[in-house]
Amino acid sequence: MKQFEILDISGDAGIRAFGHDLPELFVNAGIGMYNLITDIADIQEKKPLEISVQGSSREGLLVSFLNELIFHFDTYGFVGKSVSIKKLPSDKLTDLPTGEPEFRRAYRLEAKLTGEEFDPDRHKGKLLIKAATYHKLLIEKIDGLYQAEIIFDI
Amino acid sequence: MLIKGARWAVESGYGEASDLERIESHGCIEGADPSLISSKAYERGQAQQGTLGSGNHFLEIQYIDRIYDQRAADGFGLFEGQVTVMIHTGSRGFGHQVCTDFLEVMERAAKKYQIPLYDKELACAPISSPEAQDYLGAMRAAANYAWANRQCIMHWTREAFMKALGASPRELGMQLIYDVAHNIAKIEEHTVNGKKKKLVVHRKGATRAFPPGHPELPDAYKHLGQPVLIPGDMGRASYVLLGTEKAMQETFGSTCHGAGRVMSRHQAIRRAKGRAIWREMEDRGIIVRSAGRETLAEEMSEAYKDISNVVDVVHKAGISTKVARLRPLGVVKG
């Protein structure tokens, strides 16, 4: 299984990420996005970053997760080389309070990354991504494999 | 800055009070509420204040090679052979963070108000709802950030010219022609089916093109119409157009804001492989400076539609008319 592929779309940039389960899909989406920003082969694992985000759906969590990584890149130059998901609700998101109306539900994701600050002398600058979008976003399970297409604003 | 916009910049010493007269809404939109801005947006905005940014944003030194409408050109202070500077930038990561923060709010709001969505990126809420009102307060702060940002960059551009040419501001005569937002929602009055109505007009990939006599125009341009700025690609041309009554009748006072891409970014990067885009431009008399090689590749001329064709379409449609064509001399890409 490949981790991700780059989508060719006019105007924006996008990736299709794959995973055997949701945590792997999220990890590969993060790695795929970092590969749009720079060649992550040149990134060293020097610094940890822990993040925690919320969303009201699986797709919402994925967008919030990627936007959190973009925030840390755009503000502090942090580029991750490895990503691990520490906490993510189960596949069907049923382990949550269901008494609440849907719009009030919040699922939490926690992740740990290691990487370093982008250095224009050592790292190749590719795209400066500004946001992950919901545009056409759908997390699907095809032949037992999770897939998600994510379009980015640049 | 978030409340006062370009006015904050002028009060802080960036530019002159007379600049404000030639900025849409005097560079400050009322109703911005900084308390609605997340700490993340503050952090991101602080790091990028006064910067140009990437993508299609640019600062260009240009010259006017053709005048189409002498009366309007005279009114705007434009003439053939004149050197101009065009600055295309906005609210940077700050605006994107505001959008990111509110996208989650809007996704919930769409469910709460049971609005069916064709695409989740179009998540929304009724304009009178607290969610939408909060968003307007935050978006206005981002618009003000953008106006302040452009005002500061314009000020430093003047300083750079003064330093390089050893000239005084008066000798340089670098007067602002116009500053207008092109990705913003504004509450405006328009005529719909013969009746005047207050509408929320969202211009995205479009820019404002108000006709002569419109109360929003600065006094100096009221008899002419609004100067419409059309940034082109970095190799061919940009345009100054004039707002028209027809735009008011047919497109809610709007026209195109640029050329639009014909090639995806990756296609452009592939097409540019093995080529030195900066040298190709230098051969055509255009000096270019960019943060990265790929920025230059993805932004090369052939990745865009020919702006002249696009401008001809809006000119013939009458939703804005040609005043002047500007050719690039020097390009700075963030």
Side-chain angles (χ1 to χ4, degrees), chain A residues 25-66:
Chain A
L25 177 78
F26 275 57
V27 166
N28 289 341
I31 297 291
M33 185 185 76
Y34 281 130
N35 266 289
L36 289 179
I37 293 173
T38 187
D39 286 335
I40 65 163
D42 300 331
I43 297 290
Q44 290 170 7
E45 296 192 43
K46 284 183 180 170
K47 219 168 122 180
L49 173 71
E50 291 197 23
I51 61 159
S52 165
V53 296
Q54 284 189 31
S56 62
S57 62
R58 290 191 308 198
E59 284 79 8
L61 263 186
L62 182 57
V63 169
S64 299
F65 167 66
L66 294 173

mmCIF file of all heavy atoms in Angstrom, chain A residues 25-66:
data_model
loop_
_atom_site.group_PDB
_atom_site.id
_atom_site.type_symbol
_atom_site.label_atom_id
_atom_site.label_comp_id
_atom_site.label_asym_id
_atom_site.label_seq_id
_atom_site.Cartn_x
_atom_site.Cartn_y
_atom_site.Cartn_z
ATOM 1 N N LEU A 25 -4.456 6.324 8.283
ATOM 2 C CA LEU A 25 -4.908 7.280 7.263
ATOM 3 C C LEU A 25 -4.524 8.707 7.658
ATOM 4 O O LEU A 25 -4.034 9.489 6.839
ATOM 5 C CB LEU A 25 -6.428 7.177 7.095
ATOM 6 C CG LEU A 25 -7.047 8.160 6.111
ATOM 7 C CD1 LEU A 25 -6.815 7.702 4.675
ATOM 8 C CD2 LEU A 25 -8.542 8.329 6.354
ATOM 9 N N PHE A 26 -4.746 9.029 8.941
ATOM 10 C CA PHE A 26 -4.415 10.378 9.421
ATOM 11 C C PHE A 26 -2.905 10.624 9.334
ATOM 12 O O PHE A 26 -2.456 11.689 8.910
ATOM 13 C CB PHE A 26 -4.909 10.574 10.870
ATOM 14 C CG PHE A 26 -6.350 10.992 10.948
ATOM 15 C CD1 PHE A 26 -7.355 10.212 10.380
ATOM 16 C CD2 PHE A 26 -6.712 12.174 11.586
ATOM 17 C CE1 PHE A 26 -8.688 10.609 10.452
ATOM 18 C CE2 PHE A 26 -8.052 12.579 11.660
ATOM 19 C CZ PHE A 26 -9.032 11.797 11.098
ATOM 20 N N VAL A 27 -2.117 9.622 9.742
ATOM 21 C CA VAL A 27 -0.662 9.756 9.689
ATOM 22 C C VAL A 27 -0.222 10.009 8.253
ATOM 23 O O VAL A 27 0.547 10.933 7.967
ATOM 24 C CB VAL A 27 0.017 8.466 10.241
ATOM 25 C CG1 VAL A 27 1.506 8.439 9.889
ATOM 26 C CG2 VAL A 27 -0.180 8.365 11.742
ATOM 27 N N ASN A 28 -0.745 9.204 7.324
ATOM 28 C CA ASN A 28 -0.316 9.334 5.935
ATOM 29 C C ASN A 28 -0.794 10.643 5.288
ATOM 30 O O ASN A 28 -0.126 11.182 4.414
ATOM 31 C CB ASN A 28 -0.782 8.123 5.118
ATOM 32 C CG ASN A 28 0.003 6.883 5.492
ATOM 33 O OD1 ASN A 28 1.084 6.992 6.074
ATOM 34 N ND2 ASN A 28 -0.535 5.715 5.202
ATOM 35 N N ALA A 29 -1.924 11.129 5.741
ATOM 36 C CA ALA A 29 -2.397 12.436 5.242
ATOM 37 C C ALA A 29 -1.426 13.529 5.701
ATOM 38 O O ALA A 29 -1.075 14.428 4.933
ATOM 39 C CB ALA A 29 -3.808 12.715 5.743
ATOM 40 N N GLY A 30 -0.984 13.428 6.953
ATOM 41 C CA GLY A 30 -0.026 14.410 7.485
ATOM 42 C C GLY A 30 1.296 14.359 6.733
ATOM 43 O O GLY A 30 1.829 15.386 6.307
ATOM 44 N N ILE A 31 1.812 13.129 6.546
ATOM 45 C CA ILE A 31 3.096 12.955 5.831
ATOM 46 C C ILE A 31 2.946 13.446 4.383
ATOM 47 O O ILE A 31 3.832 14.115 3.847
ATOM 48 C CB ILE A 31 3.524 11.457 5.856
ATOM 49 C CG1 ILE A 31 3.780 10.997 7.292
ATOM 50 C CG2 ILE A 31 4.723 11.203 4.948
ATOM 51 C CD1 ILE A 31 4.994 11.602 7.965
ATOM 52 N N GLY A 32 1.814 13.122 3.766
ATOM 53 C CA GLY A 32 1.573 13.546 2.380
ATOM 54 C C GLY A 32 1.580 15.057 2.268
ATOM 55 O O GLY A 32 2.148 15.633 1.344
ATOM 56 N N MET A 33 0.942 15.716 3.237
ATOM 57 C CA MET A 33 0.892 17.174 3.205
ATOM 58 C C MET A 33 2.292 17.767 3.389
ATOM 59 O O MET A 33 2.668 18.707 2.677
ATOM 60 C CB MET A 33 -0.033 17.694 4.298
ATOM 61 C CG MET A 33 -0.205 19.196 4.223
ATOM 62 S SD MET A 33 -1.168 19.807 5.584
ATOM 63 C CE MET A 33 0.039 19.744 6.889
ATOM 64 N N TYR A 34 3.076 17.209 4.315
ATOM 65 C CA TYR A 34 4.447 17.707 4.509
ATOM 66 C C TYR A 34 5.270 17.547 3.227
ATOM 67 O O TYR A 34 6.157 18.340 2.938
ATOM 68 C CB TYR A 34 5.131 16.991 5.674
ATOM 69 C CG TYR A 34 4.707 17.518 7.028
ATOM 70 C CD1 TYR A 34 4.298 16.665 8.048
ATOM 71 C CD2 TYR A 34 4.731 18.889 7.292
ATOM 72 C CE1 TYR A 34 3.914 17.146 9.286
ATOM 73 C CE2 TYR A 34 4.351 19.382 8.530
ATOM 74 C CZ TYR A 34 3.944 18.514 9.524
ATOM 75 O OH TYR A 34 3.571 19.009 10.745
ATOM 76 N N ASN A 35 4.958 16.499 2.452
ATOM 77 C CA ASN A 35 5.678 16.306 1.194
ATOM 78 C C ASN A 35 5.313 17.337 0.133
ATOM 79 O O ASN A 35 6.065 17.522 -0.822
ATOM 80 C CB ASN A 35 5.431 14.898 0.647
ATOM 81 C CG ASN A 35 6.527 13.958 1.100
ATOM 82 O OD1 ASN A 35 7.657 14.056 0.640
ATOM 83 N ND2 ASN A 35 6.209 13.088 2.047
ATOM 84 N N LEU A 36 4.157 17.964 0.279
ATOM 85 C CA LEU A 36 3.833 19.071 -0.632
ATOM 86 C C LEU A 36 4.620 20.321 -0.247
ATOM 87 O O LEU A 36 4.932 21.157 -1.075
ATOM 88 C CB LEU A 36 2.335 19.401 -0.577
ATOM 89 C CG LEU A 36 1.338 18.419 -1.177
ATOM 90 C CD1 LEU A 36 -0.084 18.941 -0.981
ATOM 91 C CD2 LEU A 36 1.594 18.195 -2.657
ATOM 92 N N ILE A 37 4.949 20.424 1.062
ATOM 93 C CA ILE A 37 5.632 21.615 1.576
ATOM 94 C C ILE A 37 7.136 21.551 1.286
ATOM 95 O O ILE A 37 7.752 22.527 0.906
ATOM 96 C CB ILE A 37 5.368 21.763 3.099
ATOM 97 C CG1 ILE A 37 3.874 22.067 3.331
ATOM 98 C CG2 ILE A 37 6.244 22.838 3.721
ATOM 99 C CD1 ILE A 37 3.446 22.062 4.793
ATOM 100 N N THR A 38 7.729 20.340 1.480
ATOM 101 C CA THR A 38 9.170 20.175 1.263
ATOM 102 C C THR A 38 9.473 18.703 1.005
ATOM 103 O O THR A 38 8.568 17.864 1.053
ATOM 104 C CB THR A 38 9.968 20.697 2.491
ATOM 105 O OG1 THR A 38 11.361 20.674 2.184
ATOM 106 C CG2 THR A 38 9.703 19.878 3.732
ATOM 107 N N ASP A 39 10.749 18.374 0.710
ATOM 108 C CA ASP A 39 11.151 16.958 0.628
ATOM 109 C C ASP A 39 11.447 16.493 2.042
ATOM 110 O O ASP A 39 12.466 16.893 2.619
ATOM 111 C CB ASP A 39 12.404 16.817 -0.245
ATOM 112 C CG ASP A 39 12.079 16.987 -1.711
ATOM 113 O OD1 ASP A 39 10.915 16.739 -2.088
ATOM 114 O OD2 ASP A 39 12.972 17.380 -2.480
ATOM 115 N N ILE A 40 10.576 15.647 2.594
ATOM 116 C CA ILE A 40 10.782 15.360 4.018
ATOM 117 C C ILE A 40 11.941 14.400 4.264
ATOM 118 O O ILE A 40 12.339 14.189 5.402
ATOM 119 C CB ILE A 40 9.492 14.920 4.775
ATOM 120 C CG1 ILE A 40 8.972 13.604 4.274
ATOM 121 C CG2 ILE A 40 8.443 15.985 4.788
ATOM 122 C CD1 ILE A 40 7.994 13.020 5.302
ATOM 123 N N ALA A 41 12.531 13.874 3.200
ATOM 124 C CA ALA A 41 13.751 13.068 3.361
ATOM 125 C C ALA A 41 14.847 13.919 4.014
ATOM 126 O O ALA A 41 15.692 13.402 4.745
ATOM 127 C CB ALA A 41 14.218 12.564 2.006
ATOM 128 N N ASP A 42 14.807 15.242 3.761
ATOM 129 C CA ASP A 42 15.831 16.135 4.315
ATOM 130 C C ASP A 42 15.504 16.634 5.719
ATOM 131 O O ASP A 42 16.288 17.356 6.327
ATOM 132 C CB ASP A 42 15.999 17.371 3.399
ATOM 133 C CG ASP A 42 16.416 16.974 1.999
ATOM 134 O OD1 ASP A 42 17.092 15.933 1.866
ATOM 135 O OD2 ASP A 42 16.056 17.688 1.039
ATOM 136 N N ILE A 43 14.336 16.291 6.214
ATOM 137 C CA ILE A 43 13.925 16.758 7.548
ATOM 138 C C ILE A 43 14.466 15.790 8.608
ATOM 139 O O ILE A 43 14.410 14.575 8.431
ATOM 140 C CB ILE A 43 12.382 16.845 7.648
ATOM 141 C CG1 ILE A 43 11.842 17.874 6.650
ATOM 142 C CG2 ILE A 43 11.910 17.163 9.062
ATOM 143 C CD1 ILE A 43 12.158 19.323 6.954
ATOM 144 N N GLN A 44 14.999 16.355 9.681
ATOM 145 C CA GLN A 44 15.506 15.511 10.767
ATOM 146 C C GLN A 44 14.561 15.536 11.962
ATOM 147 O O GLN A 44 13.868 16.512 12.190
ATOM 148 C CB GLN A 44 16.891 16.012 11.195
ATOM 149 C CG GLN A 44 17.935 15.749 10.122
ATOM 150 C CD GLN A 44 19.248 16.450 10.415
ATOM 151 O OE1 GLN A 44 19.437 17.033 11.484
ATOM 152 N NE2 GLN A 44 20.148 16.404 9.450
ATOM 153 N N GLU A 45 14.603 14.427 12.713
ATOM 154 C CA GLU A 45 13.721 14.322 13.883
ATOM 155 C C GLU A 45 14.411 14.948 15.090
ATOM 156 O O GLU A 45 15.051 14.270 15.873
ATOM 157 C CB GLU A 45 13.362 12.853 14.143
ATOM 158 C CG GLU A 45 12.558 12.250 13.007
ATOM 159 C CD GLU A 45 11.947 10.900 13.376
ATOM 160 O OE1 GLU A 45 11.418 10.779 14.500
ATOM 161 O OE2 GLU A 45 12.005 9.997 12.537
ATOM 162 N N LYS A 46 14.285 16.259 15.195
ATOM 163 C CA LYS A 46 15.007 16.983 16.250
ATOM 164 C C LYS A 46 14.107 17.434 17.386
ATOM 165 O O LYS A 46 14.547 17.637 18.497
ATOM 166 C CB LYS A 46 15.642 18.254 15.648
ATOM 167 C CG LYS A 46 16.881 18.012 14.826
ATOM 168 C CD LYS A 46 17.416 19.375 14.376
ATOM 169 C CE LYS A 46 18.661 19.238 13.535
ATOM 170 N NZ LYS A 46 19.010 20.535 12.910
ATOM 171 N N LYS A 47 12.847 17.668 17.048
ATOM 172 C CA LYS A 47 11.976 18.367 18.001
ATOM 173 C C LYS A 47 10.609 17.707 18.074
ATOM 174 O O LYS A 47 10.051 17.350 17.029
ATOM 175 C CB LYS A 47 11.791 19.796 17.457
ATOM 176 C CG LYS A 47 11.786 20.881 18.482
ATOM 177 C CD LYS A 47 11.903 22.206 17.773
ATOM 178 C CE LYS A 47 10.727 23.099 18.103
ATOM 179 N NZ LYS A 47 10.824 24.383 17.416
ATOM 180 N N PRO A 48 10.074 17.524 19.265
ATOM 181 C CA PRO A 48 8.718 16.949 19.333
ATOM 182 C C PRO A 48 7.641 18.027 19.290
ATOM 183 O O PRO A 48 7.902 19.194 19.613
ATOM 184 C CB PRO A 48 8.719 16.263 20.697
ATOM 185 C CG PRO A 48 9.638 17.092 21.530
ATOM 186 C CD PRO A 48 10.651 17.731 20.602
ATOM 187 N N LEU A 49 6.476 17.638 18.861
ATOM 188 C CA LEU A 49 5.326 18.548 18.895
ATOM 189 C C LEU A 49 4.099 17.712 19.235
ATOM 190 O O LEU A 49 3.833 16.700 18.592
ATOM 191 C CB LEU A 49 5.146 19.212 17.523
ATOM 192 C CG LEU A 49 3.869 20.069 17.364
ATOM 193 C CD1 LEU A 49 3.969 21.350 18.184
ATOM 194 C CD2 LEU A 49 3.636 20.430 15.891
ATOM 195 N N GLU A 50 3.393 18.122 20.292
ATOM 196 C CA GLU A 50 2.169 17.395 20.632
ATOM 197 C C GLU A 50 0.982 18.272 20.315
ATOM 198 O O GLU A 50 0.978 19.457 20.645
ATOM 199 C CB GLU A 50 2.180 17.010 22.114
ATOM 200 C CG GLU A 50 3.226 15.957 22.371
ATOM 201 C CD GLU A 50 3.052 15.231 23.699
ATOM 202 O OE1 GLU A 50 1.926 15.216 24.230
ATOM 203 O OE2 GLU A 50 4.056 14.686 24.173
ATOM 204 N N ILE A 51 -0.008 17.695 19.676
ATOM 205 C CA ILE A 51 -1.184 18.489 19.338
ATOM 206 C C ILE A 51 -2.469 17.774 19.769
ATOM 207 O O ILE A 51 -2.500 16.554 19.939
ATOM 208 C CB ILE A 51 -1.255 18.804 17.826
ATOM 209 C CG1 ILE A 51 -1.340 17.513 16.999
ATOM 210 C CG2 ILE A 51 -0.093 19.643 17.349
ATOM 211 C CD1 ILE A 51 -1.896 17.746 15.622
ATOM 212 N N SER A 52 -3.497 18.562 19.920
ATOM 213 C CA SER A 52 -4.802 18.021 20.295
ATOM 214 C C SER A 52 -5.853 18.859 19.565
ATOM 215 O O SER A 52 -5.831 20.085 19.633
ATOM 216 C CB SER A 52 -4.951 18.148 21.815
ATOM 217 O OG SER A 52 -6.293 17.971 22.168
ATOM 218 N N VAL A 53 -6.715 18.197 18.813
ATOM 219 C CA VAL A 53 -7.735 18.942 18.061
ATOM 220 C C VAL A 53 -9.115 18.314 18.233
ATOM 221 O O VAL A 53 -9.252 17.177 18.677
ATOM 222 C CB VAL A 53 -7.411 19.013 16.548
ATOM 223 C CG1 VAL A 53 -6.140 19.789 16.297
ATOM 224 C CG2 VAL A 53 -7.330 17.630 15.921
ATOM 225 N N GLN A 54 -10.120 19.089 17.845
ATOM 226 C CA GLN A 54 -11.497 18.603 17.920
ATOM 227 C C GLN A 54 -12.192 18.711 16.588
ATOM 228 O O GLN A 54 -11.843 19.546 15.765
ATOM 229 C CB GLN A 54 -12.282 19.463 18.913
ATOM 230 C CG GLN A 54 -11.968 19.164 20.342
ATOM 231 C CD GLN A 54 -12.934 19.875 21.264
ATOM 232 O OE1 GLN A 54 -14.083 20.095 20.917
ATOM 233 N NE2 GLN A 54 -12.476 20.222 22.437
ATOM 234 N N GLY A 55 -13.204 17.889 16.389
ATOM 235 C CA GLY A 55 -14.008 17.987 15.176
ATOM 236 C C GLY A 55 -15.350 17.322 15.435
ATOM 237 O O GLY A 55 -15.479 16.536 16.377
ATOM 238 N N SER A 56 -16.343 17.627 14.611
ATOM 239 C CA SER A 56 -17.664 17.049 14.874
ATOM 240 C C SER A 56 -17.956 15.858 13.959
ATOM 241 O O SER A 56 -19.055 15.332 13.954
ATOM 242 C CB SER A 56 -18.746 18.124 14.728
ATOM 243 O OG SER A 56 -18.753 18.623 13.416
ATOM 244 N N SER A 57 -16.963 15.449 13.167
ATOM 245 C CA SER A 57 -17.102 14.270 12.314
ATOM 246 C C SER A 57 -15.696 13.763 12.006
ATOM 247 O O SER A 57 -14.714 14.437 12.322
ATOM 248 C CB SER A 57 -17.815 14.641 11.009
ATOM 249 O OG SER A 57 -17.025 15.586 10.298
ATOM 250 N N ARG A 58 -15.608 12.594 11.352
ATOM 251 C CA ARG A 58 -14.285 12.078 10.979
ATOM 252 C C ARG A 58 -13.591 13.050 10.038
ATOM 253 O O ARG A 58 -12.411 13.338 10.176
ATOM 254 C CB ARG A 58 -14.431 10.728 10.249
ATOM 255 C CG ARG A 58 -14.867 9.609 11.139
ATOM 256 C CD ARG A 58 -14.722 8.290 10.433
ATOM 257 N NE ARG A 58 -15.382 8.280 9.124
ATOM 258 C CZ ARG A 58 -15.693 7.167 8.474
ATOM 259 N NH1 ARG A 58 -15.409 5.999 8.992
ATOM 260 N NH2 ARG A 58 -16.274 7.226 7.295
ATOM 261 N N GLU A 59 -14.375 13.543 9.061
ATOM 262 C CA GLU A 59 -13.812 14.477 8.094
ATOM 263 C C GLU A 59 -13.386 15.771 8.798
ATOM 264 O O GLU A 59 -12.337 16.330 8.508
ATOM 265 C CB GLU A 59 -14.840 14.799 6.991
ATOM 266 C CG GLU A 59 -15.026 13.708 5.958
ATOM 267 C CD GLU A 59 -15.921 12.555 6.405
ATOM 268 O OE1 GLU A 59 -16.529 12.677 7.503
ATOM 269 O OE2 GLU A 59 -16.019 11.556 5.685
ATOM 270 N N GLY A 60 -14.248 16.219 9.728
ATOM 271 C CA GLY A 60 -13.947 17.439 10.477
ATOM 272 C C GLY A 60 -12.652 17.283 11.273
ATOM 273 O O GLY A 60 -11.848 18.204 11.358
ATOM 274 N N LEU A 61 -12.467 16.072 11.850
ATOM 275 C CA LEU A 61 -11.245 15.821 12.615
ATOM 276 C C LEU A 61 -10.019 15.850 11.715
ATOM 277 O O LEU A 61 -8.976 16.389 12.090
ATOM 278 C CB LEU A 61 -11.324 14.431 13.258
ATOM 279 C CG LEU A 61 -11.769 14.317 14.698
ATOM 280 C CD1 LEU A 61 -11.638 12.884 15.156
ATOM 281 C CD2 LEU A 61 -10.970 15.233 15.623
ATOM 282 N N LEU A 62 -10.150 15.284 10.514
ATOM 283 C CA LEU A 62 -9.017 15.253 9.583
ATOM 284 C C LEU A 62 -8.625 16.676 9.159
ATOM 285 O O LEU A 62 -7.443 17.024 9.150
ATOM 286 C CB LEU A 62 -9.370 14.393 8.357
ATOM 287 C CG LEU A 62 -8.269 14.218 7.303
ATOM 288 C CD1 LEU A 62 -6.999 13.623 7.923
ATOM 289 C CD2 LEU A 62 -8.747 13.331 6.156
ATOM 290 N N VAL A 63 -9.645 17.497 8.850
ATOM 291 C CA VAL A 63 -9.370 18.881 8.457
ATOM 292 C C VAL A 63 -8.744 19.649 9.624
ATOM 293 O O VAL A 63 -7.741 20.351 9.455
ATOM 294 C CB VAL A 63 -10.662 19.579 7.954
ATOM 295 C CG1 VAL A 63 -10.458 21.080 7.809
ATOM 296 C CG2 VAL A 63 -11.092 18.995 6.614
ATOM 297 N N SER A 64 -9.296 19.469 10.830
ATOM 298 C CA SER A 64 -8.751 20.172 12.005
ATOM 299 C C SER A 64 -7.313 19.737 12.266
ATOM 300 O O SER A 64 -6.450 20.555 12.592
ATOM 301 C CB SER A 64 -9.565 19.864 13.261
ATOM 302 O OG SER A 64 -10.882 20.285 13.083
ATOM 303 N N PHE A 65 -7.065 18.432 12.128
ATOM 304 C CA PHE A 65 -5.718 17.882 12.341
ATOM 305 C C PHE A 65 -4.723 18.510 11.369
ATOM 306 O O PHE A 65 -3.673 19.036 11.767
ATOM 307 C CB PHE A 65 -5.801 16.355 12.161
ATOM 308 C CG PHE A 65 -4.485 15.650 12.033
ATOM 309 C CD1 PHE A 65 -3.588 15.609 13.096
ATOM 310 C CD2 PHE A 65 -4.148 14.987 10.851
ATOM 311 C CE1 PHE A 65 -2.372 14.941 12.970
ATOM 312 C CE2 PHE A 65 -2.942 14.316 10.720
ATOM 313 C CZ PHE A 65 -2.045 14.297 11.777
ATOM 314 N N LEU A 66 -5.066 18.506 10.075
ATOM 315 C CA LEU A 66 -4.145 19.052 9.072
ATOM 316 C C LEU A 66 -3.977 20.562 9.238
ATOM 317 O O LEU A 66 -2.879 21.095 9.099
ATOM 318 C CB LEU A 66 -4.643 18.721 7.651
ATOM 319 C CG LEU A 66 -4.620 17.223 7.316
ATOM 320 C CD1 LEU A 66 -5.298 16.972 5.968
ATOM 321 C CD2 LEU A 66 -3.199 16.669 7.303
#
